[in-house]
Amino acid sequence: MHTAEAVRLPAAGPTAGPARPGRRLDSLTGLRMFAAGLIFVYHFANEDTFFGTRESRDTVWQLTYGGVSAVSFFYLLSGFVLAWSARPGERKGRFWWRRFAKIYPSHLATFLLALAFYLWVGGQLRLPVALANLTLTQAWVPNSREYWFGFNGVSWSLSCEAFFYLCFPFALALVRRLSPRGRWGVVLGGNAFVLLLPPVLGWLDLMPAVKPSYPVYMLPATRLVEFTIGVALALLVKEGHWRGPGLTVSSALALVALLWGVHHLPEPMHYAAATIVPYTLLVAAAGRADSRGTRSVFRQRHLVYLGEASFAFYLVHELVMVTGNEVFRHHPPIATVPNLVAVFSVSLVGAFALHEFVEKPCQRLLTRRRGARPAAPGV
């Protein structure tokens, strides 16, 4: 989903300082597959799947309760990477076309697969839902799971990403005008907003006709805050002004939040509030590690490729789950681990196919026709 870029960064020493073109953001790319994996296991536990016993389902659910927050990580990462790799003087139309060329062909391909499945199981095509999905406006419809999760359910987050892309040239221009202290204010203020939004909505009953999960999780306008945090983070790290823990400490804090923090805060704080601080630290730490060339376990070649294919994996995995549920609906429950491995493996093969035969060639074709240089792998 949410696209990161293997951009060039400087060959820097261990000391802090402004970044210059040179090295790649491979740690951030490698981290993407871990985030996609979190979402996969979360959906596996929540789908009406044909696996295991009630006890095994409850165990998987407890372990993956925080997986939904990985969407927040992707939004932060998206803002960070786009700000870091922004091309000086690029026209807005050129930027928007590059983003369209990156995400829309894969979205259209999986929409058509979802439509075929929907018609196969006897569903009736609702044109308004289909149009909302095709125009990536489905997340703007309040209180409607039919719109949010119609066809390929995970594509609701692309509705948010499309809004972020629309806003990005303006957001970047505004954040660039700020001093380092002002950018720190964006990061800290954005984190405070995400932390306080769920309780404030509950205490003040600001949106009584809307389910609390909608403004906290689905609404593109509120999720724009996380994207903007990523933009400010990128400029702070790029110019050597970021001060925060390293990659090991940040990863440990993220794990604590995922395995412990999300269980000790009221709903709907597990969507983003419980993890926003460690995810902010993790994105900045990974970007800084790459800019300095310091050691990172997330920079391994196979992880980087998986990260580049993670957008395709995100789009494919739930289609595999719902199709499997239909095909095996009369089959006795399958043990959790082999079921999980099988669904993951099929999803991964489908992701490789989508990435290699749809995402990459369509991106090259569309950008070449417009005379634009294709984005780097993973953008």
Side-chain angles (χ1 to χ4, degrees):
M1 144 187 173
H2 318 89
T3 51
E5 185 172 33
V7 296
R8 305 300 295 178
L9 294 178
T15 59
R20 300 185 307 275
R23 295 179 187 258
R24 290 163 45 109
L25 279 176
D26 282 344
S27 294
L28 285 174
T29 304
L31 276 166
R32 289 173 60 196
M33 193 59 198
F34 287 94
L38 279 173
I39 295 171
F40 167 83
V41 182
Y42 177 83
H43 285 157
F44 182 84
N46 283 273
E47 287 288 341
D48 186 19
T49 49
F50 47 91
F51 75 86
T53 62
R54 173 67 64 180
E55 290 75 16
S56 66
R57 289 174 182 238
D58 290 343
T59 300
V60 175
W61 163 246
Q62 288 297 318
L63 290 173
T64 62
Y65 182 66
V68 68
S69 71
V71 173
S72 179
F73 176 84
F74 275 120
Y75 291 164
L76 288 164
L77 180 63
S78 182
F80 187 100
V81 170
L82 289 179
W84 193 290
S85 60
R87 301 174 180 179
E90 183 178 42
R91 296 192 303 270
K92 296 181 183 67
R94 179 68 59 83
F95 167 79
W96 289 327
W97 180 255
R98 287 196 301 110
R99 302 318 302 164
F100 174 88
K102 170 62 182 178
I103 71 167
Y104 201 82
S106 296
H107 166 60
L108 179 59
T110 50
F111 169 85
L112 293 175
L113 287 174
L115 175 61
F117 171 80
Y118 189 63
L119 296 176
W120 175 54
V121 298
Q124 293 184 342
L125 177 64
R126 286 202 59 197
L127 190 58
V129 178
L131 289 176
N133 195 284
L134 287 170
T135 57
L136 296 179
T137 55
Q138 65 269 47
W140 291 99
V141 182
N143 291 356
S144 179
R145 295 178 62 87
E146 181 182 16
Y147 276 85
W148 300 342
F149 307 129
F151 301 97
N152 188 14
V154 298
S155 65
W156 73 266
S157 66
L158 298 187
S159 184
C160 293
E161 286 283 352
F163 179 62
F164 301 162
Y165 299 156
L166 180 65
C167 295
F168 173 72
F170 310 102
L172 179 62
L174 289 172
V175 177
R176 273 178 171 166
R177 293 193 185 103
L178 298 175
S179 65
R181 180 175 295 181
R183 292 167 189 167
W184 271 102
V186 172
V187 173
L188 297 176
N191 273 259
F193 175 87
V194 176
L195 281 166
L196 294 175
L197 181 63
V200 167
L201 287 173
W203 295 335
L204 301 182
D205 199 21
L206 294 179
M207 303 177 73
V210 177
K211 297 177 181 178
S213 61
Y214 177 65
V216 171
Y217 189 57
M218 309 293 301
L219 183 61
T222 52
R223 302 310 300 258
L224 179 64
V225 173
E226 291 146 275
F227 178 83
T228 307
I229 292 171
V231 172
L233 275 180
L235 298 184
L236 286 170
V237 174
K238 195 171 190 178
E239 297 174 5
H241 297 297
W242 174 256
R243 299 293 180 269
L247 196 50
T248 301
V249 172
S250 299
S251 300
L253 291 173
L255 282 175
V256 170
L258 282 167
L259 298 177
W260 182 83
V262 295
H263 294 287
H264 291 81
L265 291 171
E267 291 190 28
M269 296 190 75
H270 67 297
Y271 288 124
T275 53
I276 185 62
V277 173
Y279 284 169
T280 296
L281 298 176
L282 181 58
V283 168
R288 186 172 61 175
D290 285 336
S291 69
R292 297 181 180 184
T294 55
R295 184 179 179 183
S296 168
V297 297
F298 304 112
R299 209 180 292 136
Q300 299 175 52
R301 182 177 299 179
H302 66 282
L303 287 179
V304 172
Y305 179 75
L306 288 172
E308 291 171 355
S310 63
F311 175 57
F313 179 83
Y314 176 78
L315 289 179
V316 163
H317 78 274
E318 197 165 37
L319 290 176
V320 173
M321 290 181 188
V322 296
T323 303
N325 290 343
E326 178 65 24
V327 170
F328 292 99
R329 59 179 173 171
H330 299 303
H331 192 283
I334 302 172
T336 303
V337 173
N339 190 314
L340 181 67
V341 171
V343 175
F344 181 83
S345 299
V346 174
S347 299
L348 201 57
V349 171
F352 292 155
L354 184 66
H355 178 60
E356 294 292 343
F357 300 117
V358 177
E359 182 181 340
K360 290 167 68 174
C362 286
Q363 185 183 3
R364 287 193 297 266
L365 178 65
L366 292 172
T367 52
R368 185 169 61 244
R369 283 184 173 179
R370 293 281 298 223
R373 178 168 57 89
V379 178

